[in-house]
Amino acid sequence: MVKKVTQATGATSAGATPAEAMFAADEASRALGIELLEQGEGTAVLRMTVTPAMVNGHGIAHGGYLFLLADSAFACACNSHGPVTVAAGADIDFVAPAYEGDVLVATARERTRFGRSGIYDVSVLRGDEVVAEFRGRSRNIRGTTTKESR
């Protein structure tokens, strides 16, 4: 089931899903204006507008910001199941440049989970055009379900 998130910063109430609670505490992503639009079991959709501060010397969005957007979508998707889950590794392929003012949408999808590990794919799009493709490998931290239990 996919849940539309009504607040751009995610939920902070007791009824929040694990992904919403994690995103609500993610100051790095939210400080860049990243919004959690939808989330469900193994899925997440986030949005970010490229600001002037995100543009490099070539006049295009710095790849690090595209990676951060994709990584945040990956984090929401892999933390949707409950146990605290972190990245074990990730790769990104930049397919097309993004520019100041572009609205980018990152859609994360779980490909598989096995034991404490998982593989997730994230597509970053500007409208219908693919800007980047990301693959993340996750690992849940044994015996943890919340930030407070770490």
Side-chain angles (χ1 to χ4, degrees), residues 96-120:
Y99 301 95
E100 180 182 338
D102 284 353
V103 177
L104 305 177
V105 175
T107 302
R109 293 174 204 83
E110 182 178 278
R111 303 300 298 154
T112 189
R113 284 192 305 153
F114 49 99
R116 293 176 29 223
S117 300
I119 298 173
Y120 295 78

Side-chain angles (χ1 to χ4, degrees), residues 73-109:
F74 161 56
C76 288
C78 69
N79 277 281
S80 66
H81 300 288
V84 173
T85 305
V86 297
D91 298 295
I92 193 164
D93 290 301
F94 301 110
V95 178
Y99 301 95
E100 180 182 338
D102 284 353
V103 177
L104 305 177
V105 175
T107 302
R109 293 174 204 83

Side-chain angles (χ1 to χ4, degrees), residues 38-94:
E38 299 176 14
Q39 63 86 44
E41 289 284 315
T43 66
V45 179
L46 278 68
R47 177 174 56 206
M48 177 184 83
T49 300
V50 178
T51 68
M54 297 175 182
V55 175
N56 66 21
H58 298 293
I60 60 176
H62 190 291
Y65 290 104
L66 302 180
F67 188 98
L68 189 147
L69 173 62
D71 186 51
S72 293
F74 161 56
C76 288
C78 69
N79 277 281
S80 66
H81 300 288
V84 173
T85 305
V86 297
D91 298 295
I92 193 164
D93 290 301
F94 301 110

Side-chain angles (χ1 to χ4, degrees), residues 11 17-27 30 72 75-77 79 85 150:
T17 66
E20 288 172 325
M22 184 214 57
F23 190 76
D26 183 352
E27 292 293 328
R30 291 188 305 107
S72 293
C76 288
N79 277 281
T85 305
R150 284 185 262 173

